[in-house]
Amino acid sequence: MDSKEIDVLESYISQNNLKITKQRRTVLKAFLECKNHISVEELYHTVLRVEPKIGLATVYRTLALLTKSGLALEMDFGDGQKRYESSYRTVHHDHMVCTECGKIIEFNHPLIEKYQEEIAKENSFKITSHKLDLFGHCLDCT
Ligand SMILES: [Zn+2]
Ligand SMILES: [Zn+2]
């Protein structure tokens, strides 16, 4: 596992008087190895293969911890489950979500990023983060 990420988690955990347990480490490791936009259920099933005794609640709580410590980005594409991706491994991107099959396409357009900055500047607004989700139908579903 990347030492930088375990360091971030460990310092967050000690600042908040929590304990870094073996199970939390396992969840972090599995999370860092998984694909983007994983749901809690999907991550739970991945973790179960190495840690058969782990409970779904532990996976839930650890993901919440990863989100609070800044290691995970939480997203909600309106399909009833939260999805997560690593904020360290991933370069900033936006999402197109197919409302039929759930396919997620990542994109990044320099002009969109630039115009957002310009609009913010015009409004004397400082952007600290943004999310852009486009919903519609992918090629297979049109
Ligand atoms: Zn589709
Ligand atoms: Zn993504």
Side-chain angles (χ1 to χ4, degrees), residues 44-82:
Y44 171 61
H45 289 291
T46 311
V47 175
L48 269 186
R49 279 183 234 135
V50 279
E51 192 81 41
K53 282 187 203 143
I54 203 157
L56 181 59
T58 305
V59 179
Y60 258 105
R61 274 187 258 117
T62 310
L63 269 175
L65 213 59
L66 297 182
T67 306
K68 281 189 202 132
S69 65
L71 288 168
L73 292 172
E74 189 181 84
M75 49 205 75
D76 188 345
F77 295 136
D79 61 349
Q81 47 187 340
K82 296 222 166 76

Side-chain angles (χ1 to χ4, degrees), residues 36-37 73 75 77 84-86 90-95 104-107:
N36 274 357
H37 324 124
L73 292 172
M75 49 205 75
F77 295 136
Y84 298 84
E85 67 190 15
S86 160
T90 323
V91 188
H92 169 72
H93 58 262
D94 297 311
H95 299 105
I104 298 163
I105 301 167
E106 298 186 338
F107 70 95

Side-chain angles (χ1 to χ4, degrees), residues 24-36:
R24 280 180 175 155
R25 269 173 190 276
T26 308
V27 175
L28 175 62
K29 189 168 183 290
F31 173 69
L32 294 174
E33 285 165 1
C34 73
K35 61 179 172 53
N36 274 357

Side-chain angles (χ1 to χ4, degrees), residues 98-103 136-141:
C98 177
T99 52
E100 294 297 316
C101 71
K103 182 178 180 179
H137 299 150
C138 75
L139 187 62
D140 294 337
C141 299

Side-chain angles (χ1 to χ4, degrees), residues 10-21:
E10 274 176 356
S11 75
Y12 180 85
I13 279 180
S14 67
Q15 278 162 24
N16 290 277
N17 295 316
L18 300 162
K19 263 197 231 146
I20 177 92
T21 60

